[in-house]
Amino acid sequence: MGFLWTGAWILVLVVHSSPIQAFPTPEGSQDKPVHNKELSAERPLNEQIAEAEADKIKNIYSPAFLSENKPGESNYSFVDNLNLLKAITEKEKNEKERQSVRNSPYDNKLNMEDVDSTKNRRLIDDYDSTKSGLNHKIQDDPDGLHQLDGTPLTAEDIVQKIATRIYEENDRGVFDKIVSKLLNLGLITESQAHTLEDEVAEVLQKLISKEANSYKEKPNKPTSKTESQSGKIPEKVIPMAAVQDGFANGENDETVSNTLTLTNGLERRTETYSEDNFEELQYFPNFYALLKSIDSEKEAKEKETLITIMKTLIDFVKMMVKYGTISPEEGVSYLENLDETIALQTKNKLEKNVTDNKSKLFSAPSMKGHEETDSTKEEAAKMEKEYGTLKDSTKDDNPRGKTDEPKGKTEAYLEAIRKNIEWLKKHNTKGNKEDYDLSKMKDFINQQTEAYVEKGILDKEEADAIRRIYSSL
Amino acid sequence: MAGRGGRALLALCAALAAGGWLLGAGALEPGAPAAAGMRRRRRLQQEDGISFEYHRYPELREALVSMWLQCTAISRIYTVGRSFEGRELLVIELSDNPGVHEPGEPEFKYIGNMHGNEAVGRELLIFLAQYLCNEYQKGNETIIKLIHNTRIHIMPSLNPDGFEKAASQPGELRDWLVGRSNAQGIDLNRNFPDLDRIAYINEKEGGPNNHLLKNLKKIVDQNTKLAPETKAVIHWIMDIPFVLSANLHGGDIVANYPYDETRSGSAQEYSSCPDDAIFRSLARAYSSFNPSMSDPNRPPCRKNDDDSSFVDGTTNGAAWYSIPGGMQDFNYLSSNCFETTMELSCEKFPPEETLKTYWEDNKNSLISYLEQVHRGVKGFVRDLQGNPIANATISVEGIDHDVTSAKDGDYWRLLVPGNYKLTASAPGYLAITKKVAVPYSPAVGVDFELESFSERKEEEKEELMEWWKMMSETLNF
């Protein structure tokens, strides 16, 4: 009998407890949190790069890319300028080298996703349980400069990417291009560019040493005119030399080439540049004069920065000429313009003792002489310098007429307090409680304003003003 | 070749110039005199304390402080954290007992301007706060009832840094480009952990689709990819048991509801969540009061826009276009809060003169949506002694998504009208199921008193002892 009871009891228990198991509870499935850890994992680099390349092409060919897109979508900010840059400058290169290979597999995608270019979804890699949907962030990021959830890549990521790309394309010019773009937009500083170079060199060496046997070592022939791209980094010398021919500056081949042999592997830019670049830079008389005029001791950093920037620009232009993006004549006149404008701007900058020249230098020169924009940019930068560092406070947006502001604000507060007191009085049914409530109110206000000042919700002056108003009631 | 190259170079330079310009144009508006003039003008355009002008960060703060000073009895300002550049993420709370969660009182939030250049939401929320205060003091019964029975949190801007950037742009450059992301360049509405993916996997393989983020605070704080604004909001969501919420955007005109991400990965596909029915109702509760949103003949904002998924001014997120990492779905899958996304204007940053019209168009919608929090079923889960059981699970038969009870044992379950079976359960307790008939509104009160296993065991033991005693007495052993 006892057993019957117990049995019945157990049965009842089971019946009651089964609903608990049937419905999912927050405590259930303890092993699912494992997936959460994967939320921050990244997809293998090759995939990211491959997708970034594909997206780039897609964006170039999509009609919707440059016009206004669906709201609330792509990562519009300066990143999109970078996209545009990359897209345009690499379009030619892609067309030449990759068209046949890449476009066909992606043709279908191009057609399908034409309507909505910036919100592409990859059907591949979709249901991978170890990866979260953060991966799909990459669709908004054709140039591959962003992580899964929209945050910018770290330095190591960039290094890896660049090294891999250089290796794939066997061209050191890739590095120059990428770095100059990064410098353009102020995404990295000069010193970071140097560190980057070293790190990329290291990674590259590793990559190369793996494949060392399959490539023949080509000797460093500075004057060789062959266009062959295979082999190691020193081959930069060759395209440089070839390009030199196009320059109407009437260069001295040997001098220039000697200069260019400085790049053995990926050496420190500043070192080699400062040693040898003067020869090349003699073709930029203004700039050269400027350099000379800089006191090497006091502003060595400035000097180095300038030299490096100049070098980068020159390389960049050379690369474009080499790839036929611009004609040699265009390249020359560009550089001539560059020389003049840069010299001028840099001089002004140095006089003001501002270190962040980069954006100015890169944005100043243009083929069609956008001098107007130069001066306005300077103005804007000036303003930014003066106001940009100020943390947002009530003083921020008030360069003049400061007396208007506090008066207007205090008025508003006064008005609000008046309304409050009125309402409180109306809702006090017991007349004799009025005074009591007011003092209680004052205490409350004092307390609250204190707390608000601490939390950054109120300024000290505002709090004082409010307390003053209340105490005068 | 040269021509193309020339064009490319020109475009490059233009882009560089544009980039430099945009980077260079910092915090200050190019027309400082205009700015000062605007401030002087501000006092003139007021209507009952509401100035229909754009509020920069200082003005935003001032407006909230003014509102608080006017309605100290029912409001409180607080901050959930700081933006990347150090601006406070300000919230104004309206309630008959500000600063306190009254057991049984549902929590509601409005968040605007998550994309800094989508400015209408930000302004509407400032107007709304002032409006609620004014109406309360005028004796508006609807508003009084709302404020007494709800705890309303209003965050006019989740991305104040982006807004400053956007507002500093001149004329046409405003709108699509600058100021959308936070100061780090992160798009906040793609920055939330993508719980949709996990939910979809769980759908296939078995597993929950609610409260998907365990050990939350640690993960959030350690995740370097989350923007400070995102982190602040996640903490906010976890700290306060929000029931209903809306996220205000711009660039189109529609009320958008979960899920925002397609299951298959395609760009567009209706992806319903388990609570599709109530979400459609919630979205319609907003859109039906907004004349342009609910206008069936409204032309699309841009010629080539695809509005095919819009129904009565509402749309499923993924049917419109799929996005990962959005705040809306994060709310639904990590907490009890149901959130929708309201797109309020074709132009992201329209001219100031239009703000008054946007307010008129959205005023009733904003109030109507607020009232939706008082629907479905609500109540308390307690034990037999009357102590609240926190984190109990409340599940609804037929809807594969559970909610949990808050610290005081209180829960709220939004539901469309119908007959339901609700089950409350908690570890160590015997679950109880109750039948409920739910009208459109107000919410039906259903409380649960759960018996714990140990209590039950004790009962049974006692009964057993009683029986044994009786038997032994009868049979004399």
Side-chain angles (χ1 to χ4, degrees), chain B residues 9 21 72 79 183-184 189 200 204 232 272 351-352 364:
Chain B
L9 189 58
W21 169 243
T72 47
T79 160
Q184 301 164 298
N189 207 27
Y200 291 157
K204 287 167 105 185
S272 60
E352 202 170 62
N364 297 324

Side-chain angles (χ1 to χ4, degrees), chain A residues 28 190 222 274 431 455:
Chain A
E190 268 307 295
S274 51
K455 300 220 180 89

Side-chain angles (χ1 to χ4, degrees), chain A residues 268-290:
Chain A
R268 277 205 162 272
R269 252 192 195 169
T270 35
E271 282 174 14
T272 47
Y273 284 164
S274 51
E275 282 160 17
D276 304 301
N277 66 345
F278 277 60
E279 281 87 3
E280 188 170 67
L281 291 174
Q282 69 184 299
Y283 299 114
F284 301 89
N286 292 329
F287 188 67
Y288 190 53
L290 173 66

